[in-house]
Amino acid sequence: MKVLVAVKRVVDHNVKVRVKADESGVDLTNAKMSVNPFCEIAIEEAVRLKEKGVASEIIAVSIGTSQSQEQLRSALALGADRAILVETDEKAYPLQVAKILKGVAEAEGAELILLGKQAIDDDNNQTGQMLAALMNVGQGTFASEVVVEGGAVKVTREIDGGLQTVNLPLPAVVTTDLRLNEPRFPKLPNIMAAKKKPLDTKTPADFGVDMTSKLTTLKVKAPAERSAGVKVASVDELIDKLKNEAKVI
């Protein structure tokens, strides 16, 4: 069984994001970039499936600039067998990403497509659902457990009311949640070996996808700074401030 794993290049989660002076977007100058944390979970799950003898090959795919090769090499170091970079300088929105992933999955004959449930930059949580709809296959979103048996995958989902288990025939799309696993750290020999693993380059046009944006960013602003708190001397003063200043009671 071939497993396709989507990998996105994002600002490292430890970096404090800065807005450009002209408010046109986020300033990425000298910012540390990493694999999206939810994508790391998807990679780890694919590797575990291969270690169990369920998956025969893991293909990592990323859509972005040539710099995304760095994140694909990280995926290869973590255990992916080969990688595909769909190179574009245009910003890729969820529907465009889903269309490209559909093309890659069909070209590769992937039976299981693993994605992070969302990316920590745009925070859209849309690509997995769109991909499943375009492919007309079952989807198991927000997965906290994945078990492949026979020609199906059983996914335990985290939902508002608790947990839900769905059984999906393959091929299927699964998006990973935080509690699915704990991603491993790549070992130095694997990092060195990753440099020799195959990494192919494609373009969106190869999959018939137009990257022209249908959206326009008007302005990006940093969140307003929180005002300093105040100390009150008594419960009566607290109630008075809540009632007359905050007006929440």
Side-chain angles (χ1 to χ4, degrees):
M1 180 182 75
K2 285 187 179 181
V3 179
L4 185 71
V5 184
V7 178
K8 186 174 184 182
R9 174 184 172 90
V10 299
V11 178
D12 189 88
H13 67 279
N14 291 311
V15 173
K16 184 176 180 180
V17 176
R18 303 185 307 273
V19 175
K20 292 181 179 178
D22 61 0
E23 297 184 335
S24 62
V26 173
D27 187 3
L28 300 180
T29 305
N30 297 323
K32 180 183 178 182
M33 307 297 285
S34 300
V35 176
N36 177 49
F38 289 101
C39 296
E40 287 185 327
I41 295 171
I43 297 167
E44 174 66 24
E45 194 62 24
V47 173
R48 293 188 184 192
L49 288 173
K50 187 175 182 182
E51 290 173 343
K52 292 176 183 177
V54 174
S56 59
E57 185 179 29
I58 302 169
I59 307 161
V61 58
S62 187
I63 302 158
T65 65
S66 60
Q67 295 172 310
S68 296
Q69 291 187 39
E70 178 186 351
Q71 281 62 48
L72 286 174
R73 291 296 179 191
S74 295
L76 292 170
L78 288 169
D81 296 295
R82 56 191 177 92
I84 299 171
L85 172 62
V86 182
E87 189 171 348
T88 175
D89 290 328
E90 301 296 329
K91 179 176 174 57
Y93 289 93
L95 182 56
Q96 295 164 324
V97 173
K99 289 179 178 179
I100 293 172
L101 290 178
K102 174 179 181 290
V104 175
E106 291 176 346
E108 294 292 340
E111 294 183 74
L112 181 63
I113 301 93
L114 293 173
L115 305 88
K117 70 170 185 176
Q118 64 198 79
I120 62 171
D121 49 7
D122 293 334
D123 216 31
N124 284 318
N125 178 24
Q126 296 175 339
T127 303
Q129 294 88 329
M130 289 178 172
L131 175 60
L134 290 171
M135 294 183 67
N136 195 28
V137 299
Q139 58 177 294
T141 54
F142 318 127
S144 61
E145 185 179 3
V146 175
V147 179
V148 178
E149 293 178 329
V153 56
K154 184 169 71 174
V155 181
T156 301
R157 305 179 58 236
E158 296 192 352
I159 60 175
D160 291 342
L163 298 175
Q164 178 191 55
T165 301
V166 295
N167 202 54
L168 310 170
L170 296 174
V173 174
V174 175
T175 71
T176 59
D177 214 331
L178 285 172
R179 281 155 289 281
L180 179 57
N181 59 50
E182 183 71 29
R184 68 193 69 188
F185 290 99
K187 297 178 181 178
L188 182 58
N190 294 342
I191 295 174
M192 301 304 294
K195 297 179 180 179
K196 298 180 180 179
K197 289 184 178 180
L199 194 160
D200 297 327
T201 301
K202 302 286 186 180
T203 66
D206 293 332
F207 305 100
V209 178
D210 179 12
M211 296 303 291
T212 303
S213 175
K214 306 298 190 295
L215 302 174
T216 301
T217 300
L218 300 179
K219 183 183 292 187
V220 176
K221 296 189 68 174
E225 293 187 7
R226 294 180 61 180
S227 57
V230 296
K231 291 183 178 181
V232 295
S234 65
V235 173
D236 290 338
E237 185 181 354
L238 173 61
I239 294 174
D240 177 69
K241 287 185 177 294
L242 291 174
K243 183 183 294 183
N244 300 315
E245 292 186 20
K247 299 187 185 300
V248 294
I249 59 173

